[in-house]
Amino acid sequence: MRSSLGETRSSIKRSHALICVDSHEIISLPHWPGAEVVSYVTPGLGAGFSLFRIVATRQTRIPPPPHDGVRFVLLRAGQAEIRDGADVHTLGMDEYAYLPQASGFTLEMAAGTEILCLEHAYKPMPGVQPPGPVFNSMPAIAAVPLKGNEQLRVQKLLPEEPGFDMEVNVMTFAPGGSLPYVETHFMEHGLVMLDGGGIYRLDDQWYPVARGDAIWMAPFCPQWFGALGRGDARYLIYKNWNRDPLA
Ligand code: UGY
Ligand code: MN
């Protein structure tokens, strides 16, 4: 892309947004001291969640979120420690943490550490206990073919329990693999391309997408993906889940 001529693959629409590296705005925020922040998705777009990338510019200690929401963190480079009093968990490459609403976990990152972070307001369900924290590793989660399709495998990073009001999944497409149909659903999505690329249909546009791109899909945004290239295409995808849309 010729950014000198004002070109970008990024595209912001009412029903979806594609945010590409060439248009990233790197900012600092007081509650992310010692870190560069790139916001991919925020409520300003119309989304019900925030999705952003953090890179620590020095050894730093991040306080709990300045809101009562859930924080999900996936480490993509470096090392971090998640701490609540004497409760300490180390995160290495591709390890992740689900930190429940209103919890007091701090996040200590070494210089150069990169994380993907997703936050949203937790929707409780009457009679169901909200979940506690989850610490796990992406490679430790089984990749299961989607509806028997060996070209498309899904890893569910969070337990399939009604206490969870969100899913965070990794979807891996073999070259030529695709979603079986154009989805339309009331859940919205936040997505980050982790590897490879292909074509993402969003509403009535078809976008080339590649590693590093991020996408927001509003409720009912028609969506479809087909993987191109020689290697697998892999993306991390969030959706609000397990709750009645009127609740
Ligand atoms: O879980 C999903 O809705 C997923 N299949 N959507 C997507 O990949 N765009
Ligand atoms: Mn979907």
Side-chain angles (χ1 to χ4, degrees):
M1 280 283 137
R2 293 169 299 180
S3 52
S4 60
L5 294 181
E7 291 177 327
T8 177
R9 284 189 301 112
S10 294
S11 178
I12 312 297
K13 308 280 185 202
R14 283 176 67 90
S15 66
H16 63 274
L18 170 64
I19 300 96
C20 304
V21 177
D22 58 28
S23 68
H24 280 176
E25 188 72 18
I26 299 172
I27 63 164
S28 58
L29 285 171
H31 50 287
W32 287 96
E36 292 178 340
V37 181
V38 174
S39 282
Y40 297 143
V41 181
T42 74
L45 276 178
F49 64 96
S50 288
L51 173 63
F52 47 98
R53 190 190 70 153
I54 297 290
V55 177
T57 51
R58 57 170 168 82
Q59 174 77 29
T60 182
R61 183 167 173 274
I62 308 298
H67 52 73
D68 281 349
V70 166
R71 173 177 278 174
F72 176 92
V73 169
L74 171 66
L75 191 136
R76 296 293 288 155
Q79 186 144 3
E81 268 186 5
I82 294 192
R83 199 181 279 270
D84 188 9
D87 195 5
V88 184
H89 299 264
T90 303
L91 291 191
M93 178 64 182
D94 282 341
E95 292 180 328
Y96 61 90
Y98 169 93
L99 307 173
Q101 65 287 355
S103 55
F105 286 98
T106 59
L107 174 63
E108 288 188 37
M109 293 186 287
T113 297
E114 180 184 331
I115 60 168
L116 294 172
C117 189
L118 189 138
E119 295 176 349
H120 86 170
Y122 180 72
K123 269 194 180 181
M125 185 166 161
V128 175
Q129 188 69 23
V134 175
F135 299 93
N136 210 336
S137 157
M138 208 158 74
I141 305 291
V144 177
L146 185 76
K147 295 173 186 160
N149 182 353
E150 290 289 337
Q151 281 188 303
L152 204 186
R153 293 172 170 270
V154 183
Q155 292 167 278
K156 290 184 183 281
L157 303 193
L158 296 177
E160 294 180 78
E161 294 165 9
F164 288 90
D165 66 344
M166 62 190 252
E167 271 193 348
V168 181
N169 299 336
V170 176
M171 302 190 61
T172 303
F173 298 75
S178 68
L179 289 175
Y181 52 91
V182 179
E183 298 177 10
T184 55
H185 47 62
F186 75 82
M187 301 78 79
E188 61 178 335
H189 285 307
L191 179 158
V192 179
M193 290 296 303
L194 299 177
D195 287 305
I199 300 292
Y200 228 106
R201 178 187 171 161
L202 299 167
D203 206 345
D204 58 0
Q205 325 247 354
W206 279 255
Y207 297 98
V209 296
R211 179 187 164 97
D213 289 349
I215 293 174
W216 167 64
M217 294 171 238
F220 290 103
C221 174
Q223 56 200 256
W224 176 90
F225 177 71
L228 293 173
R230 289 167 181 247
D232 287 354
R234 202 163 63 109
Y235 57 70
L236 182 80
I237 183 165
Y238 153 91
K239 73 176 165 193
N240 49 315
W241 187 236
N242 271 341
R243 296 293 182 268
D244 188 281
L246 271 183

